[in-house]
Amino acid sequence: MNGSSSKTTSSSLTCKKLTILTILAVVIQIIGLSLFVMGFFPVKPTLSGSSGLESFYPPGSDSVHDDKKIPTLLPHQLKSLYQQLSGVPPIFDRLILMVIDGLPAEFVLGSDGKPPSKVFMDAMPYTQSLLAKGKAIGYHAKAAPPTVTMPRLKAMVSGAIGGYLDVAFNFNTQALLDDNLIEQFLRIGWKMVMLGDDTWLKLFPGMFTRHDGVNSFFVKDTVQVDHNVSRHLEFELNRTDWNLLILHFLGLDHVGHIGGRNSLLMGPKLKEMDEVIKMIDLSMIQGQKDNRGRTLLMVASDHGMTENGNHGGSSYEETDSLALFVGLGEFSGASTTNNTANQVDIASTLALLFGVPIPKNNVGIVMAEVLKSITDKEVLRLMELNSWQLLRLLQVQLPDLECKSFTCDVHRDDNGSRISRDYGSVEEMFCCLYSHAAAVHKSLKSESNIGDEFGSTFLAYCEFLRTASQWLSHRATDRPFSLLASGLAAMLLSCLILLALLFLIVRENYIKEKGHFPHLNKTMHRWHLDKTFSLAIIFILILSMGSSSMVEEEQYIWHFVTSSFYLVLLRKAMQSMTAVVLQNSPIVMRRQKERGILQVFSIIAILTSGRVLRGWHQGGVNWVHLPDISKLLEQAGSAYISLLQLTSGVLLISANFFILLFSLWSKRTFVMVILLIYLYPASLILYHIVVHQGTTIATTGFGSTEMVQRFYAILSISAIGTIISVPWLMPSQNSDISRNGFYSSCDISFEVRRRLLLEGMRDSTFVTGWVFIFSWCLLQLLLQQPINSMPLLLLFIQILATVWYSSGGDPQLVEVAALYYLGMAGHFGIGNTNNLASIDVAGAFIGVSSHSTLLSGILMFIITYASPMLALLSMVMYISVKDIDGAMHAKDVNVGHLLKRSISFPCLVPLGLNSVLLIAYTAVLLLMRNHLFIWSVFSPKYLYVCATTACVSIGASLVASSVVYTCVVLASRRI
């Protein structure tokens, strides 16, 4: 009866069906996730074309028919026409845009009314003197997330806020097609020169008369990238054949990536930038004396940086960018350091200062403080032009914005001040604000002296501009519901398929065990605490997803649930040691006791390592400033970190060599050959740590590139070659099964084949799993920051101890879930967070001699998902230590049955758990789509969820393919 049931269940889900359905579920999940991402993350709608003559007329004016003449006008004629229509002559003749990548405004202007720290003040004496004398004015120009270079440069020249996924395109910059200042300047005949970050050349191909671009992604280089700019500076400043000079310095951003805000290299780098500002300012003064025209120097930064020197998120430290104007005149009596603006305000301000149309998609407003050198009438005229441009953009977003349909009464108090009122709609609010400013301004145009009325008109324009800019900046585009629904439905279908397959496998194993061990029927159905808690973890994680604070501090949840889970397993292991053993055999009792002791010590090692790992990095957002082990080591000095890294590397390599040799001592000749193969890449890593690791000088850093590339090649060839050859070359021991004379010749043949296949499967998968783990650890020793070498060793200990704990018995859901949870907790243990700023950009270019978006992206993925992928790759070794002898009870060597029993749990459990979390967080993202922190907290987390899904899919594919290949090869050898 039981055997029949088992046979029926087994035949209902063959290995072939399981494989096809699993692959189908993963493909459906990827398709659904892609559809949802495309639908949810907005690409801001933009107006096609470029601003022209219509910019100097009110919206809806009939005077724009002259715009058709633009293609026939020569550049100098168009420039004169713009100046005539504007009514305000250009204030400057030339512009020098100096971009200091990653410079926080706090370094130059201070914060909260306090000056910068003494170190930064002393590093930039000339710049501080300009601010103190009122010869420069600075702004804290808030940058919109994501705070990476390419979208921030777009914002500065176009005034538009790009889509959130621009962070992904930062590594593959394409030409900017939207209206922008560079294109407007080119249209009026400006000659432009660019020196520095080659992102400009990719955004504006063919627009620069001269250029010298440098790649921005070699973050180990803090010297050459800036020298390539400065070496041309004196030559360019003495020339008069350019109107726009762009200087983009990268060194300060690279200093931040290497050593953080407080790096010893930060002061000298700021001093270097101060010398450049001094050289330019003195040249501007001399040029004005020589009648070479007035030049404006604008010093800007694309973003700030965190304490660790990273960026990409939305914290104040990352969004605090600089906008410093030098050459506008005197600002005596006005604050030169406490001004605030938005980064998108730069485009409209520069366009109005130089007499070109404001880019069509600009959402910024003019920085009014920079207009002190022109008359009040000219100030109001420029604000009027800015208002017309924003009103046109509002009319695109709000088709019902027709001001003639609204009656706006201006309410004033006894002092004549305007009183705010409630509006029936957004359209009415904008119409009334604009109509009020336009009406007051119109009454002043005919007056020769506007007197006191200037203040009220100025404030009226400011109110409209500020309100319109804020609304346009925070405008959420309509997300296509059909795309979101299709994506969510596909992910839900994939999740149901994976969970159904997992349920069938669990049910099939239960029926099989019930049939083979009928005396355990009364206890097999019990739902133990470890199984209950493994599922409870999922519900805890799902419940935490709805809180922005818990998303920011997710590492605490993972550390808590993982340590609690292993405490439950410790309780179970100790109970099994004291439980009544049904068999009376002393041998069985001794083996169970030994296994129980091994499990207890394994879990103690896991908990101890986990506690140290928990205190290594104080991750998250709110308590990142608190002391932790990594900070203490950094304060102690780089010598301690280098020694720790070398020690961790030696221990990690030695432990891996010992494990392989000890586990396969009977095949030590074969094992020694493998160890000799991996001795060379291991030696290269140790040599790299001793000689090259931690270098910050460009030439020394690049000196290790060839060696690193050699390591990549050798490790890849060794790993792939070993995995392919091991099943073919693995030696086997002849089993003397016929010595008792009990079996027939047919039975002996079957038994020998079965034993040989199981033995070969066990040993080959163990070696394959070892290759995966050791190769991955060597790669991480190279790519991870030196401070993470010890956490990598601790992760290895946890993974190995979990495998030891799981040795013996069939693959179980709880044990595989434990490995998965361990990998996710380790993800945060090595310093990762749900903030994009924690991504290690520096390591993604180790060994890269020329920029490759694909290669750098792969390396960045490897660094970020070091722990989850290590846990997934260890599933192969986990399979090798399980007792899969029960898979072969049939009167044939059923390879499909063996494969299903071996890889079903190690593949389905991670895929199923990740699928549940993916669906849950997708639902949370939809519910939180109007939340205040949707772009700063929930969206970055979803990008990590997407990357984790890719990691789990890749890991499960590697595990399944390697085990299937091994089993097929061994079956072909033995049969």
Side-chain angles (χ1 to χ4, degrees):
M1 181 73 177
N2 289 334
S4 176
S5 176
S6 176
K7 185 176 179 179
T8 303
T9 306
S10 177
S11 62
S12 64
L13 185 63
T14 63
C15 183
K16 183 178 180 180
K17 289 181 181 179
L18 178 64
T19 303
I20 293 175
L21 289 174
T22 303
I23 294 175
L24 179 63
V26 172
V27 171
I28 292 174
Q29 184 181 75
I30 294 173
I31 294 174
L33 185 58
S34 302
L35 292 174
F36 187 87
V37 168
M38 291 168 56
F40 186 85
F41 290 103
V43 176
K44 296 287 184 180
T46 58
L47 297 176
S48 59
S50 303
S51 296
L53 297 182
E54 80 282 354
S55 300
F56 303 100
Y57 297 99
S61 173
D62 296 332
S63 303
V64 296
H65 63 278
D66 292 333
D67 195 39
K68 298 178 181 179
K69 299 180 181 179
I70 288 183
T72 63
L73 294 178
L74 296 175
H76 71 277
Q77 295 174 323
L78 183 61
K79 180 179 179 181
S80 299
L81 182 58
Y82 282 164
Q83 181 176 338
Q84 176 185 348
L85 293 175
S86 171
V88 181
I91 303 173
F92 296 94
D93 304 296
R94 303 204 301 177
L95 169 64
I96 299 177
L97 177 58
M98 177 180 175
V99 180
I100 305 178
D101 204 295
L103 175 64
E106 178 185 349
F107 286 11
V108 180
L109 307 177
S111 62
D112 299 328
K114 299 177 182 178
S117 65
K118 188 177 185 301
V119 175
F120 300 147
M121 291 278 286
D122 294 341
M124 305 189 75
Y126 191 82
T127 305
Q128 293 300 328
S129 69
L130 291 176
L131 290 167
K133 296 175 183 178
K135 294 183 179 180
I137 183 170
Y139 287 83
H140 291 267
K142 183 179 180 181
T147 46
V148 290
T149 298
M150 185 269 288
R152 301 286 53 80
L153 295 184
K154 284 184 178 181
M156 282 194 278
V157 299
S158 69
I161 298 177
Y164 190 83
L165 288 184
D166 271 344
V167 67
F169 305 134
N170 186 58
F171 299 96
N172 188 24
T173 306
Q174 303 294 329
L176 179 60
L177 302 179
D178 298 340
D179 192 12
N180 59 81
L181 284 178
I182 305 299
E183 185 180 342
Q184 291 289 349
F185 288 149
L186 186 67
R187 192 173 288 127
I188 63 173
W190 271 29
K191 304 297 182 182
M192 295 175 285
V193 177
M194 197 291 300
L195 306 172
D197 187 355
D198 62 0
T199 302
W200 291 92
L201 301 178
K202 297 173 183 177
L203 286 172
F204 310 105
M207 296 189 183
F208 297 104
T209 305
R210 290 186 299 277
H211 58 80
D212 186 6
V214 295
N215 197 285
S216 61
F217 295 110
F218 293 111
V219 296
K220 288 285 186 180
D221 177 14
T222 64
V223 178
Q224 194 63 38
V225 283
D226 289 346
H227 175 69
N228 285 344
V229 180
S230 302
R231 64 179 178 170
H232 301 289
L233 191 54
E234 185 176 357
F235 170 79
E236 294 295 348
L237 292 177
N238 291 327
R239 294 183 67 92
T240 58
D241 63 342
W242 54 262
N243 305 95
L244 171 62
L245 175 62
I246 297 176
L247 310 170
H248 192 137
F249 293 91
L250 293 163
L252 187 136
D253 179 67
H254 293 185
V255 168
H257 281 298
I258 294 172
R261 282 190 171 212
N262 299 316
S263 170
L264 295 177
L265 299 177
M266 190 62 74
K269 180 57 64 175
L270 289 173
K271 178 66 175 176
E272 181 184 343
M273 296 297 98
D274 189 64
E275 291 295 330
V276 172
I277 294 173
K278 179 179 180 180
M279 180 188 295
I280 295 174
D281 186 49
L282 294 178
S283 175
M284 289 164 47
I285 296 173
Q286 186 61 42
Q288 192 169 352
K289 292 179 180 178
D290 297 341
N291 296 321
R292 286 187 290 178
R294 293 194 63 188
T295 302
L296 173 66
L297 167 63
M298 181 182 177
V299 183
S301 61
D302 49 352
H303 51 75
M305 65 174 66
T306 63
E307 287 296 324
N308 294 328
N310 293 324
H311 54 86
S314 58
S315 67
Y316 173 78
E317 291 79 8
E318 297 164 86
T319 60
D320 181 33
S321 62
L322 175 70
L324 178 71
F325 295 87
V326 181
L328 290 170
E330 298 289 339
F331 289 90
S332 56
S335 173
T336 58
T337 59
N338 293 328
N339 305 292
T340 59
N342 292 313
Q343 195 175 63
V344 290
D345 298 340
I346 293 175
S348 54
T349 301
L350 292 179
L352 294 174
L353 287 175
F354 288 93
V356 296
I358 301 174
K360 266 192 175 183
N361 296 291
N362 164 76
V363 299
I365 61 178
V366 63
M367 301 175 181
E369 294 82 0
V370 306
L371 305 177
K372 295 194 65 171
S373 59
I374 61 177
T375 65
D376 290 347
K377 276 193 173 182
E378 291 174 335
V379 170
L380 294 180
R381 172 58 175 167
L382 295 183
M383 299 186 78
E384 181 181 47
L385 294 176
N386 198 177
S387 298
W388 288 347
Q389 182 266 323
L390 288 183
L391 188 60
R392 286 189 175 90
L393 203 56
L394 287 171
Q395 289 174 340
V396 174
Q397 298 278 0
L398 301 169
D400 296 331
L401 184 62
E402 182 59 50
C403 292
K404 295 179 181 179
S405 60
F406 297 104
T407 302
C408 301
D409 297 324
V410 179
H411 300 274
R412 299 181 180 275
D413 57 19
D414 295 337
N415 298 324
S417 300
R418 187 175 180 277
I419 302 175
S420 61
R421 50 166 289 193
D422 295 329
Y423 299 100
S425 63
V426 175
E427 291 84 352
E428 182 182 0
M429 176 185 67
F430 286 129
C431 281
C432 293
L433 290 177
Y434 170 75
S435 299
H436 170 62
V440 178
H441 187 199
K442 183 178 181 180
S443 65
L444 296 179
K445 289 182 178 180
S446 59
E447 300 181 14
S448 58
N449 185 12
I450 59 178
D452 296 336
E453 293 296 323
F454 166 77
S456 60
T457 308
F458 178 83
L459 292 176
Y461 271 126
C462 283
E463 186 176 6
F464 168 73
L465 289 172
R466 184 168 51 252
T467 305
S469 177
Q470 290 177 353
W471 188 88
L472 288 167
S473 298
H474 294 92
R475 169 70 168 168
T477 55
D478 294 332
R479 301 180 178 93
F481 177 78
S482 58
L483 213 57
L484 296 178
S486 301
L488 185 60
M491 286 187 282
L492 182 60
L493 176 61
S494 171
C495 181
L496 293 176
I497 294 175
L498 291 172
L499 293 181
L501 292 175
L502 194 57
F503 172 78
L504 290 176
I505 294 296
V506 172
R507 180 173 174 269
E508 179 179 326
N509 282 4
Y510 168 72
I511 293 176
K512 184 180 293 293
E513 291 171 354
K514 184 178 178 181
H516 292 158
F517 306 102
H519 58 279
L520 298 179
N521 284 350
K522 296 181 179 180
T523 59
M524 290 295 294
H525 68 278
R526 293 180 183 175
W527 195 251
H528 298 288
L529 180 60
D530 56 343
K531 297 179 181 178
T532 305
F533 195 79
S534 65
L535 297 181
I537 290 176
I538 298 298
F539 289 102
I540 293 173
L541 291 168
I542 292 174
L543 291 175
S544 69
M545 290 176 178
S547 168
S548 61
S549 298
M550 289 188 176
V551 170
E552 290 177 330
E553 311 297 339
E554 187 180 354
Q555 73 278 0
Y556 295 113
I557 300 173
W558 276 109
H559 288 307
F560 169 74
V561 297
T562 304
S563 59
S564 300
F565 187 38
Y566 274 93
L567 284 173
V568 171
L569 296 181
L570 178 63
R571 171 183 174 272
K572 178 183 178 182
M574 297 183 71
Q575 283 181 333
S576 66
M577 292 177 61
T578 58
V580 177
V581 181
L582 295 176
Q583 294 88 349
N584 295 321
S585 172
I587 298 177
V588 175
M589 293 180 63
R590 181 169 55 83
R591 288 178 178 176
Q592 289 188 351
K593 184 178 180 180
E594 290 175 353
R595 185 169 185 267
I597 294 174
L598 176 64
Q599 288 183 328
V600 169
F601 278 102
S602 298
I603 295 177
I604 292 175
I606 294 168
L607 293 174
T608 304
S609 301
R611 184 60 191 91
V612 178
L613 196 62
R614 159 67 184 83
W616 202 268
H617 289 285
Q618 189 66 49
V621 176
N622 297 315
W623 297 286
V624 69
H625 61 281
L626 295 179
D628 53 38
I629 299 175
S630 63
K631 293 187 181 70
L632 293 176
L633 287 171
E634 289 171 352
Q635 293 172 4
S638 59
Y640 290 93
I641 298 177
S642 299
L643 180 61
L644 183 68
Q645 185 185 21
L646 181 60
T647 303
S648 301
V650 171
L651 290 175
L652 193 58
I653 293 170
S654 302
N656 273 279
F657 281 10
F658 174 78
I659 289 167
L660 184 61
L661 189 60
F662 176 79
S663 301
L664 295 177
W665 180 253
S666 61
K667 299 177 175 63
R668 50 188 174 275
T669 304
F670 179 75
V671 168
M672 290 299 297
V673 174
I674 297 176
L675 294 181
L676 288 174
I677 293 174
Y678 280 89
L679 186 61
Y680 184 52
S683 301
L684 283 179
I685 285 297
L686 295 179
Y687 178 80
H688 178 80
I689 292 174
V690 173
V691 178
H692 296 290
Q693 189 67 57
T695 55
T696 56
I697 301 176
T699 55
T700 307
F702 284 120
S704 65
T705 300
E706 183 179 349
M707 191 206 72
V708 173
Q709 291 175 345
R710 190 185 312 132
F711 167 79
Y712 288 153
I714 293 172
L715 186 65
S716 300
I717 294 172
S718 301
I720 296 174
T722 306
I723 293 171
I724 292 176
S725 60
V726 160
W728 293 102
L729 303 178
M730 174 63 70
S732 60
Q733 297 176 351
N734 293 325
S735 302
D736 189 14
I737 303 178
S738 60
R739 62 183 180 272
N740 294 326
F742 181 79
Y743 299 103
S744 66
S745 59
C746 181
D747 290 332
I748 294 173
S749 175
F750 164 74
E751 185 66 18
V752 169
R753 289 159 53 202
R754 185 173 74 87
R755 289 295 182 186
L756 290 176
L757 177 58
L758 293 177
E759 176 194 334
M761 184 74 172
R762 181 185 65 249
D763 294 343
S764 297
T765 51
F766 185 88
V767 174
T768 301
W770 179 89
V771 169
F772 275 136
I773 293 174
F774 187 49
S775 301
W776 190 256
C777 289
L778 288 180
L779 191 59
Q780 295 303 326
L781 280 175
L782 172 69
L783 298 177
Q784 290 287 338
Q785 295 180 2
I787 198 69
N788 278 339
S789 57
M790 181 56 71
L792 182 62
L793 176 62
L794 296 174
L795 283 171
F796 172 75
I797 292 173
Q798 289 186 307
I799 295 293
L800 190 63
T802 304
V803 172
W804 281 343
Y805 169 86
S806 306
S807 59
D810 293 327
Q812 295 293 325
L813 182 148
V814 172
E815 296 168 351
V816 177
L819 275 172
Y820 177 79
Y821 295 149
L822 202 64
M824 291 306 300
H827 172 72
F828 296 98
I830 60 175
N832 291 300
T833 67
N834 286 328
N835 191 330
L836 297 177
S838 63
I839 296 176
D840 183 11
V841 179
F845 301 93
I846 294 176
V848 181
S849 56
S850 60
H851 176 60
S852 169
T853 302
L854 177 62
L855 181 58
S856 298
I858 292 173
L859 291 177
M860 195 176 302
F861 179 84
I862 290 173
I863 296 170
T864 306
Y865 285 90
S867 178
M869 188 61 77
L870 179 62
L872 290 167
L873 294 178
S874 69
M875 297 290 180
V876 181
M877 184 178 286
Y878 166 83
I879 292 171
S880 70
V881 301
K882 302 306 292 182
D883 182 13
I884 53 176
D885 204 26
M888 309 303 292
H889 284 284
K891 289 298 181 180
D892 190 16
V893 183
N894 191 333
V895 176
H897 191 196
L898 173 62
L899 284 174
K900 186 176 72 170
R901 194 172 181 86
S902 301
I903 65 176
S904 55
F905 278 120
C907 292
L908 283 177
V909 171
L911 288 171
L913 293 177
N914 179 78
S915 182
V916 172
L917 294 177
L918 174 63
I919 285 292
Y921 196 76
T922 301
V924 169
L925 195 68
L926 282 176
L927 294 174
M928 297 294 176
R929 62 188 180 276
N930 296 319
H931 195 279
L932 179 63
F933 300 142
I934 182 62
W935 300 122
S936 59
V937 176
F938 293 102
S939 294
K941 164 64 178 174
Y942 196 72
L943 295 182
Y944 278 106
V945 170
C946 296
T948 303
T949 300
C951 175
V952 173
S953 299
I954 294 171
S957 300
L958 288 174
V959 172
S961 58
S962 61
V963 175
V964 169
Y965 169 78
T966 299
C967 188
V968 171
V969 170
L970 289 170
S972 66
R973 284 181 61 190
R974 309 303 181 191
I975 296 177

